[in-house]
């Protein structure tokens, strides 16, 4: 008897249109009476600043640069420093003052510190846009403020160049670049990459650099965007640490001639590693929403300045028709204070009228009928319309949260209006679009499991089964079938899947009854469509781990960072989308993904940056890595680069296997002794008196690496210049670290 055909509703071919987010440079620029664009600041102010800088350089008096602590402020400060030296100022006459943790240039402590340096000229960059007394209360001292933060009030008697009212608002480094590039013919080439670094630090690395912004094509031909963006990350790291080591970033930037010089700075690399771990630890705080749903509030407690990073991350993730602002409050950065950062949610960037964080915060504060605004002081709602924040007392912050009605339920909808409630549980807490990223197709499930595929599709159409549950059930059927017998017409009972089977040849698989074609002949009935289908999370942990290993373990090494040198036929064949399904599968899958695979670089040449690639992985994930295999073609520079790579490898506390294959110019390095008569090319350019020192340094690094990895069980060192030393290390590990 043939089955009666049933109409199946096919999914719509139309794709969901991505919401258009305007680029930063699309903002309409101001024009003068003749229709000429006025950007990045009033022409008169820019000319006055140029005259000020020329006067500074020619006076040979003490000059004090006071930059902000972030990448934008530091880059702007170095641009001005190099302009002054190019104009003839002595480097010894130029000093810098870096404001302390949680302070501003208006604090009396900072004013006294600047005054002790006895400057004749003071140049404040990327800060200071606030009403106040003179920057330094000394007779004859002239001050210049170059800034882009929103403000109409500034310190007394200061020459001000502000870009805040001239969209698209230039960053301080871009503003300094525009002021200085015409003062000397070499400034544009010397500081172009600093302008790009500072601008990407404030506006992000997706900036289009469209007019009226300057054309940076030549800069990006010389310096890759990747190196610029990586340098920005390193420059921002020290000021976020609890140590507040901003001076390290300033010194590294001042001494650099390109972004690549910054990428190898050990102090900056260490600071970034610390910040990445702290961000990963703090970023999972749960949000609470204001009563009107416009503001999402996250609370953390950290001695590091990670709240702006977390605010930026969540602003790109949270989505709601009402949400406008993401606020992250850090009560552990300064004692007795709450430092908070606000960002506009990505879903609200195209709203009309546009969201203004400063106006929104002040509107909430104005609801207070007491003296809250006065108690919060001048450090409330500072910065930009798109990225603002503040530093206020604990009591004042709690009063502000009370005014926002954070955590209170929204008012009930009017009678007759149906309120849609989206349920959230362990299987569907992520957006449904995450399901689209899974590398398997629904049609293949039905083909591989014809009996249940039709029922699942029918249930999905009638909305009796959520898409996530449908995905998990179908995936469980498909994978379990492939593990048991590829040739049998298998059927799985829908009951007691979480119990250990008492019968059958597949004991321990969590499947109570797996049968073949003979079932129908023995009179066993088919399970009905109304029976509860099996759930992937209901399987025994051993079975679940087996399935996850099938999805996430690769027989070939995984490349940490793919680039142009990665082979075109490189494929991982991993179904990493399983990590997106729910929280439990995510945390269960991570140790398998990082622990069951061997990690490597895309090529022998790119292994030079393997330490930086490791730092891109969150700290808790790095600790799960158990196997690394590297082929390197920089054997002649092993003494110089290996300490950085070894420092990162020593952080892999769970590393069990390490294999190093050393080569020079594509061939394995000669293993003769350094003093032999082989050519310098065969030995990796090891000639002269320095050869012995190089070899000694390399041996020390390799020995410390192997000794420091306490859990190492497999070690291979092929192609090293001293073959006997390599074999001794291998035998020492193979013999259980004895001898």
């Amino acid at each position: 008897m043939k089955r009666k055909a049933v109409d199946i509703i096919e999914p719509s071919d139309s794709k969901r249109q991505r919401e258009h987010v305007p680029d930063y440079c699309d903002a309409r620029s101001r024009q003068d009476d003749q229709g000429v664009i006025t950007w990045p600041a009033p022409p008169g102010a820019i000319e006055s600043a140029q005259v000020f800088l020329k006067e500074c350089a020619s006076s040979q008096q003490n000059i004090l640069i006071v930059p902000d602590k972030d990448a934008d402020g530091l880059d702007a400060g170095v641009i001005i420093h190099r302009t002054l030296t190019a104009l003839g100022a002595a480097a010894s006459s130029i000093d810098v003052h870096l404001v302390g943790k949680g302070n501003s240039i208006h604090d009396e402590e900072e004013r006294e510190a600047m005054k002790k340096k006895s400057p004749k000229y003071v140049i404040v960059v990327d800060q200071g846009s606030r009403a106040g007394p003179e920057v330094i209360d000394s007779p004859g001292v002239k001050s210049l403020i170059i800034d882009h933060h929103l403000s109409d009030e500034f310190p007394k008697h200061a020459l001000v160049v502000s870009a805040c009212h001239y969209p698209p608002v230039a960053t301080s480094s871009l503003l300094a670049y525009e002021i200085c590039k015409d003062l000397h013919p070499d400034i544009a080439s010397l500081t172009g990459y600093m302008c790009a670094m500072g601008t990407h630090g404030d506006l992000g690395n997706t900036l289009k650099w469209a007019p009226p912004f300057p054309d940076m094509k030549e800069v990006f031909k010389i310096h890759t965007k990747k190196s610029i963006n990586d340098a920005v990350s390193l420059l921002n790291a020290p000021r976020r640490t609890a140590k507040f080591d901003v001076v390290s970033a300033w010194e590294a930037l001042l001494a650099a001639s390109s972004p690549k010089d910054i990428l190898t700075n050990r102090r900056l690399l260490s600071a970034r590693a610390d910040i990445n771990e702290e961000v990963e630890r703090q970023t999972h705080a749960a949000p609470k929403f204001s009563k009107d749903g416009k503001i999402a509030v996250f609370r953390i407690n950290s001695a590091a300045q990670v709240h702006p990073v977390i605010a930026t991350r969540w602003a790109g993730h949270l989505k709601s028709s009402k949400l406008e602002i993401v606020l992250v409050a850090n009560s552990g950065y300064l004692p007795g204070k709450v430092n908070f950062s606000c960002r506009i949610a990505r879903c609200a960037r195209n709203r009309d009228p546009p969201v203004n964080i400063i106006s929104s915060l002040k509107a909430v504060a104005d609801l207070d009928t007491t003296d809250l605004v006065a108690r919060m002081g001048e450090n409330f709602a500072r910065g930009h319309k798109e990225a603002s924040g503040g530093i206020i007392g604990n009591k004042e912050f709690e009063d502000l949260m009370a005014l926002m009605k954070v955590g209170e339920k929204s008012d009930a909808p009017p009678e007759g209006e149906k309120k849609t409630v989206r349920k959230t549980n362990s299987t569907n807490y992520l957006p449904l679009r995450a399901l689209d990223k899974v590398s398997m197709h629904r049609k293949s499930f039905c083909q591989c499991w014809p009996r249940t595929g039709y029922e699942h599709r029918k249930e999905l159409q009638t909305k009796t089964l959520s898409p996530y549950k449908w995905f998990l059930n179908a995936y469980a059927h498909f994978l379990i079938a492939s593990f048991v017998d590829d040739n049998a017409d298998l059927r799985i009972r829908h009951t007691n899947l979480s119990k250990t089977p008492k019968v059958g040849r597949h004991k321990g698989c969590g499947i109570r009854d797996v049968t073949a074609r003979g079932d129908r002949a023995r009179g066993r009935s088919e399970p009905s469509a109304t029976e509860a289908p099996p759930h992937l999370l209901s399987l025994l942990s051993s079975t679940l781990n087996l399935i996850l290993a099938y999805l996430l373990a690769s027989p070939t090494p995984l490349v940490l960072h793919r680039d142009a040198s990665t082979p075109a036929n490189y494929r991982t064949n991993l179904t990493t989308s399983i990590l997106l399904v729910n929280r439990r599968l995510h945390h269960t899958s991570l140790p398998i993904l990082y622990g069951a695979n061997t990690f490597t670089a895309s090529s022998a040449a790119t292994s030079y940056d393997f330490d930086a690639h490791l730092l891109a992985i969150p700290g808790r994930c790095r600790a799960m890595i158990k196997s690394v295999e590297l082929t390197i073609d920089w054997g002649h520079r092993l003494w110089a680069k290996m300490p950085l790579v070894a420092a990162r490898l020593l952080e892999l506390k769970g590393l069990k296997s390490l294999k190093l294959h050393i080569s020079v110019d594509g061939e394995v390095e000669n293993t003769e002794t350094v003093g032999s008569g082989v050519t310098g090319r065969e030995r990796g350019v090891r000639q002269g008196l320095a050869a012995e020192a190089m070899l000694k340094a390399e041996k020390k690094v390799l020995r410390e690496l192997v000794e420091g990895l306490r859990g190492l069980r497999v070690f291979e060192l092929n192609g090293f210049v001293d073959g006997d030393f390599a074999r001794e290390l291998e035998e020492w590990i193979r013999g259980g670290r004895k001898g």
Side-chain angles (χ1 to χ4, degrees):
M1 177 179 171
K2 295 184 178 180
R3 288 184 178 178
K4 184 179 179 181
V6 179
D7 293 335
I8 297 177
I9 302 174
E10 296 294 337
S12 175
D13 293 333
S14 61
K15 295 183 178 179
R16 180 180 178 183
Q17 297 295 326
R18 179 177 294 180
E19 183 180 0
H20 173 69
V21 179
D23 186 66
Y24 187 82
C25 294
D26 293 342
R28 186 175 181 180
S29 302
R30 293 180 61 171
Q31 299 179 354
D32 58 15
D33 297 336
Q34 286 74 35
V36 179
I37 292 177
T38 303
W39 186 89
I46 292 178
E47 293 175 3
S48 299
Q50 292 173 339
V51 172
F52 185 96
L53 294 176
K54 291 179 181 179
E55 181 182 339
C56 290
S58 61
S59 68
Q60 299 300 323
Q61 300 288 329
N62 291 337
I63 305 169
L64 183 64
I65 301 176
V66 189
D68 196 16
K69 55 189 175 297
D70 62 357
D72 184 36
L74 295 175
D75 280 297
V78 176
I79 289 174
I80 293 172
H81 189 286
R82 294 195 176 178
T83 301
L84 291 173
T85 55
L87 293 175
S92 58
S93 66
I94 305 174
D95 201 354
V96 64
H97 176 75
L98 300 172
V99 178
K101 182 177 179 179
N103 293 346
S104 72
I105 65 167
H106 305 284
D107 294 336
E108 196 61 33
E109 175 187 352
E110 301 297 337
R111 287 165 54 82
E112 288 297 326
M114 290 187 288
K115 187 176 181 179
K116 289 180 180 179
K117 297 185 178 182
S118 303
K120 182 67 175 178
Y121 299 92
V122 181
I123 305 172
V124 181
V125 189
D126 200 30
Q127 57 183 335
S129 294
R130 200 177 86 185
E134 297 177 352
V135 177
I136 294 181
D137 189 12
S138 296
V141 177
K142 297 182 179 181
S143 58
L144 168 66
I145 294 179
I146 300 175
D147 198 9
H148 65 139
H149 294 96
L150 183 62
S151 179
D152 293 316
E153 298 177 315
F154 303 92
K156 292 181 180 179
H157 309 306
L159 175 62
V160 178
V161 185
S162 177
C164 67
H165 294 304
Y166 296 87
V169 177
T171 61
S172 293
S173 55
L174 178 54
L175 182 56
Y177 176 80
E178 289 292 320
I179 293 172
C180 298
K181 69 179 183 180
D182 295 330
L183 296 178
H184 193 277
D186 295 336
I187 293 301
S189 59
L190 288 174
T191 64
Y193 72 91
M194 293 184 184
C195 171
M197 285 164 52
T199 304
H200 282 197
D202 260 22
L203 303 182
N205 53 23
T206 60
L207 186 70
K208 302 300 183 184
W209 287 96
F213 276 30
D215 186 358
M216 287 290 178
K217 291 181 181 178
E218 291 300 322
V219 173
F220 293 128
K221 284 182 181 179
I222 302 173
H223 312 287
T224 65
K225 286 188 177 181
K226 182 182 184 305
S227 65
I228 287 176
N229 296 330
D230 288 347
V232 170
S233 174
L234 290 174
L235 290 175
N236 277 325
R239 55 113 174 181
R240 299 191 189 280
T241 61
K243 296 179 180 179
F244 198 72
D245 187 22
V246 183
V247 66
S248 296
W250 169 264
E251 291 174 351
L253 185 59
L254 190 62
S257 59
S258 72
K260 290 185 177 179
D261 295 336
I262 300 171
L263 300 182
T264 56
N265 188 289
R266 292 190 178 185
R267 296 174 71 179
L268 302 187
L269 289 169
S270 176
R272 186 173 67 175
D274 294 341
I275 290 301
N276 287 344
E277 292 183 5
E278 184 65 11
V279 168
E280 181 64 25
R281 190 172 70 88
Q282 298 286 348
T283 197
H284 300 292
K288 289 187 177 181
F289 293 86
S290 58
K291 188 174 182 178
D292 57 7
K294 294 183 177 181
I295 302 177
V297 179
F298 296 82
R299 293 201 179 201
I300 64 174
N301 190 313
S302 174
Q305 193 187 38
V306 295
H307 40 282
V309 180
I310 297 174
T312 302
R313 286 192 177 186
W314 278 109
H317 178 74
L318 291 179
K319 293 184 178 181
S320 169
S321 59
K322 297 180 180 179
L323 182 64
E324 295 180 354
I325 299 171
V326 174
L327 184 153
V328 178
N330 187 356
S331 58
Y333 188 65
L334 293 175
K337 300 283 187 180
V338 175
N339 293 62
F340 66 94
S341 293
C342 300
R343 299 291 184 269
I344 295 178
R346 181 178 176 84
C347 61
R349 292 179 187 173
N350 207 18
R351 301 274 171 88
D352 188 19
V355 178
N356 186 322
I357 296 178
I358 294 178
S359 298
S360 299
L361 291 176
K362 290 183 176 180
V364 173
D366 289 340
L367 297 175
D368 181 67
T369 57
T370 61
D371 60 343
L372 177 61
V373 175
R375 285 188 287 123
M376 288 191 295
E378 294 291 336
N379 286 328
F380 171 71
R382 308 299 304 179
H384 308 279
K385 294 181 291 185
E386 302 84 5
S388 182
I391 306 173
I392 58 179
N394 291 328
K395 177 65 168 59
E396 288 73 23
F397 183 78
E398 296 301 333
D399 293 343
L400 186 66
M401 294 297 100
L403 293 174
M404 293 182 185
K405 299 182 180 180
V406 174
E408 296 185 17
K409 294 183 179 180
S410 58
D411 296 330
E415 293 184 5
E417 181 179 342
K418 185 177 180 181
K419 182 177 180 181
T420 303
V421 179
R422 181 178 176 180
K423 295 183 179 180
T424 302
N425 54 38
S426 62
T427 60
N428 65 358
Y429 81 100
L430 285 175
L432 289 179
R433 65 188 180 89
L435 188 61
D436 299 335
K437 299 181 180 180
V438 180
S439 59
M440 303 295 292
H441 300 288
R442 292 178 177 177
K443 184 178 180 181
S444 64
F445 291 140
C446 300
Q447 292 174 344
C448 297
W449 203 259
R451 185 186 60 78
T452 58
Y454 171 78
E455 296 167 4
H456 280 300
R457 180 171 290 190
K458 182 178 180 181
E459 289 174 342
L460 186 61
Q461 293 166 2
T462 57
K463 299 183 179 180
T464 59
L465 194 64
S466 71
Y468 271 108
K469 291 182 179 179
W470 185 92
F471 163 74
L472 291 172
N473 298 331
Y475 217 0
H477 278 98
F478 175 76
L479 291 173
I480 295 173
S482 66
F483 276 114
V484 179
D485 191 346
D486 293 335
N487 300 318
D489 181 15
L490 300 174
R491 288 181 286 117
I492 300 177
R493 296 289 182 184
H494 291 305
T495 57
N496 298 326
L497 279 167
S498 61
K499 298 180 180 180
T500 304
K502 297 180 180 180
V503 295
R505 60 188 179 93
H506 304 292
K507 294 182 179 181
C509 292
I511 305 173
R512 178 163 184 143
D513 189 21
V514 181
T515 56
R517 287 191 180 92
D519 285 356
R520 189 177 292 110
R522 287 190 284 270
R524 295 190 179 180
S525 60
E526 296 274 352
S528 66
T530 59
E531 292 185 62
H535 198 291
L536 184 60
L537 293 178
S538 66
L539 299 176
L540 291 175
S541 59
S542 57
T543 307
L544 179 60
N545 290 339
L546 185 65
I547 293 175
L548 293 177
Y550 177 79
L551 298 175
L552 299 174
S554 172
T556 58
L558 298 183
V559 174
L560 273 186
H561 180 77
R562 299 183 65 175
D563 51 28
S565 63
T566 306
N569 60 350
Y570 172 75
R571 296 291 185 274
T572 62
N573 297 321
L574 302 183
T575 312
T576 55
S577 299
I578 194 71
L579 278 76
L580 299 174
V581 174
N582 61 49
R583 189 181 301 273
R584 179 181 166 188
L585 277 177
H586 178 83
H587 291 293
T588 305
S589 302
L590 278 181
I592 297 175
L593 175 63
Y594 287 97
N597 289 298
T598 298
F599 292 91
T600 186
S602 60
S603 67
T606 55
S607 62
Y608 193 83
D609 296 322
F610 191 72
D611 54 331
H613 300 160
L614 280 176
L615 284 175
I617 303 176
R620 68 187 185 94
C621 295
R622 288 204 304 271
M624 301 175 188
I625 295 178
K626 295 183 179 180
S627 180
V628 171
E629 183 174 357
L630 288 179
T631 300
I632 60 181
D633 65 356
W634 35 275
H636 57 286
R637 298 192 62 190
L638 196 69
W639 59 274
K641 180 62 179 177
M642 194 60 194
L644 295 176
V645 177
R648 300 285 77 83
L649 291 174
L650 285 171
E651 295 177 359
L652 308 181
K653 302 302 182 182
L655 195 63
K656 304 292 184 184
S657 174
L658 177 61
K659 299 179 181 180
L660 301 177
H661 309 283
I662 304 173
S663 62
V664 178
D665 295 335
E667 298 182 0
V668 175
E669 188 174 10
N670 191 287
T671 56
E672 299 286 342
T673 60
V674 174
S676 64
V678 293
T679 65
R681 178 179 178 84
E682 291 172 334
R683 292 195 310 269
V685 198
R686 296 182 181 274
Q687 299 178 6
L689 298 176
E692 292 292 345
M694 293 179 186
L695 181 59
K696 184 177 180 181
E698 291 171 355
K699 287 182 177 181
K700 180 181 178 183
V701 171
L702 291 170
R703 185 182 294 107
E704 291 177 350
L705 172 63
V706 173
E707 292 176 353
L709 294 171
R710 300 293 183 183
L712 199 63
R713 296 293 178 267
V714 177
F715 178 70
E716 292 183 10
L717 181 58
N718 300 319
F720 187 58
V721 66
D722 190 339
D724 292 337
F725 173 79
R727 284 189 292 273
E728 287 177 5
L729 283 182
E730 294 174 354
E731 290 296 333
W732 186 65
I733 291 297
R734 195 177 298 115
R737 299 174 178 264
K738 297 179 181 179

